Amino acid sequence: MIKVSVIIVNWNGKKWLKECIESILRQDYQNLEIIFIDNASTDDSVDFIKINYPKVIVKVLSENFGFAKANNIGNQIASGEYILLLNNDTKLKPDCISEMVKGFIAKKNAGAIQAKLVRMGNEGIIDSCGSFLTLSTILYHYGVGKKSNKDIYSHPFRVFSSKGACMMIKAEAIKKVGLFDGRYWCYYEESDFCHRIINNGFECWYWPNAVCEHHVGGTSVLFGSEIVQYHNLKNKLCSYIKNFSTAMNVILLPTAILAAIMQFLPSIIKGNFKSINVLYSAVRWNLVNINDTLALKKKYGSNNFNADMTVLKKYIKRPGLSYYLALFKGLEEYNDIEIGSE
């Protein structure tokens, strides 16, 4: 039986840990190791794990390094052929891990597989089925808020990006391109990673038979909205520079910046000018760090316009205006486009 390493990154998440760890221990897949990476919590999370789950491998960090760098540290410890990244505010169905392993067996080219994420306490509503690119550069988060029993969410399909709340990765893919960019404190790190492995011959899949409950925003609600906006935009621009060709970025980077301006516009009109600083800071960070980004681009990224077009044709979707209105304003309901079984 192939070994799976489960990495849980924690920051002041003690209230979630019992349910999360117990759900791992109840799995029908037994060849597991659990690695607990603590980002300098102050809520006794570490003592709770050490006392109640002595077989869990615990690594305590000196400060809050964020999701990306902490998972990278966990990956250095991991010995499994598959690496399961799992949020601390999740609960796995008993066959979740075995179903994800089946996904890798069925899809030989898969580098990453995401479970069907449903909302904690309301399994009838989807949290995420993965994400796709759009012409606007705003990710199309498929299935968010929809009824989980609909047929369109009940078959496997390729996605551009898997959500790191419950994402299993082939260790071979990590060895080829690394895991997360350690400069990404939080947000967009999964999309950057998935883009990188796609550029290097792997695929990302949504696997509906693997089900995981997720308390949406369990940890991220502790961060201010400006922090979220800053890291998301900063990392998105950086990812584009790294993973798309220069020729493609002539089109995509201005589009991404314009999309951010449109997103921030309502708050600016209301007199909240913090979003202007978010935009400035995100662009400035990428200019200051451009040499490091270009070095990573040379190592793992793309500088082939035709290859980029192949990625776009395979992973770009057109969700329609109602999706954007629902995403930013909640003004109206939208219907997901249908994605065929593959």
Side-chain angles (χ1 to χ4, degrees), residues 302-329:
S302 166
N303 207 19
N304 187 317
F305 184 85
N306 291 331
D308 291 343
M309 287 300 297
T310 299
V311 170
L312 291 176
K313 287 177 182 177
K314 184 178 289 188
Y315 294 105
I316 206 163
K317 303 296 179 185
R318 295 170 173 81
L321 179 61
S322 61
Y323 169 75
Y324 298 104
L325 292 174
L327 187 65
F328 296 125
K329 286 293 186 181

Side-chain angles (χ1 to χ4, degrees), residues 181-195:
D181 188 328
R183 300 173 299 167
Y184 291 13
W185 192 75
C186 63
Y187 292 97
Y188 212 83
E189 59 278 281
E190 308 108 309
S191 298
D192 175 65
F193 168 74
C194 288
H195 196 165

Side-chain angles (χ1 to χ4, degrees), residues 3 32 38 81 86 92 96 131 153 216 230 241 251 272 281 292 318 336:
K3 186 175 185 179
L32 303 172
D38 188 80
E81 294 180 55
L86 191 65
L92 302 177
C96 183
S131 303
Y153 310 121
V216 182
Y230 166 69
I241 294 168
I251 302 169
N272 181 0
S281 298
D292 290 339
R318 295 170 173 81
D336 277 320

Side-chain angles (χ1 to χ4, degrees), residues 78-95:
S79 60
E81 294 180 55
Y82 296 137
I83 310 297
L84 175 60
L85 307 185
L86 191 65
N87 276 19
N88 58 2
D89 58 343
T90 59
K91 181 173 71 173
L92 302 177
K93 293 298 182 181
D95 61 348

Side-chain angles (χ1 to χ4, degrees), residues 281-297:
S281 298
V283 172
R284 182 179 182 277
W285 183 93
N286 277 283
L287 292 174
V288 170
N289 292 276
I290 190 66
N291 289 335
D292 290 339
T293 301
L294 291 177
L296 291 169
K297 176 185 182 71

Side-chain angles (χ1 to χ4, degrees), residues 24-91:
I24 300 171
L25 298 177
R26 288 194 297 266
Q27 290 298 294
D28 61 10
Y29 195 92
Q30 295 301 310
N31 192 11
L32 303 172
E33 67 175 0
I34 305 174
I35 301 168
F36 183 80
I37 308 296
D38 188 80
N39 267 324
S41 293
T42 57
D43 68 348
D44 300 322
S45 292
V46 174
D47 288 341
F48 175 80
I49 293 296
K50 287 182 175 180
I51 292 170
N52 293 285
Y53 306 103
K55 292 184 179 180
V56 172
I57 301 168
V58 176
K59 175 73 174 179
V60 181
L61 305 183
S62 59
E63 61 184 274
N64 187 351
F65 286 111
F67 182 81
K69 192 171 182 179
N71 269 300
N72 288 348
I73 292 170
N75 179 63
Q76 292 171 0
I77 299 170
S79 60
E81 294 180 55
Y82 296 137
I83 310 297
L84 175 60
L85 307 185
L86 191 65
N87 276 19
N88 58 2
D89 58 343
T90 59
K91 181 173 71 173

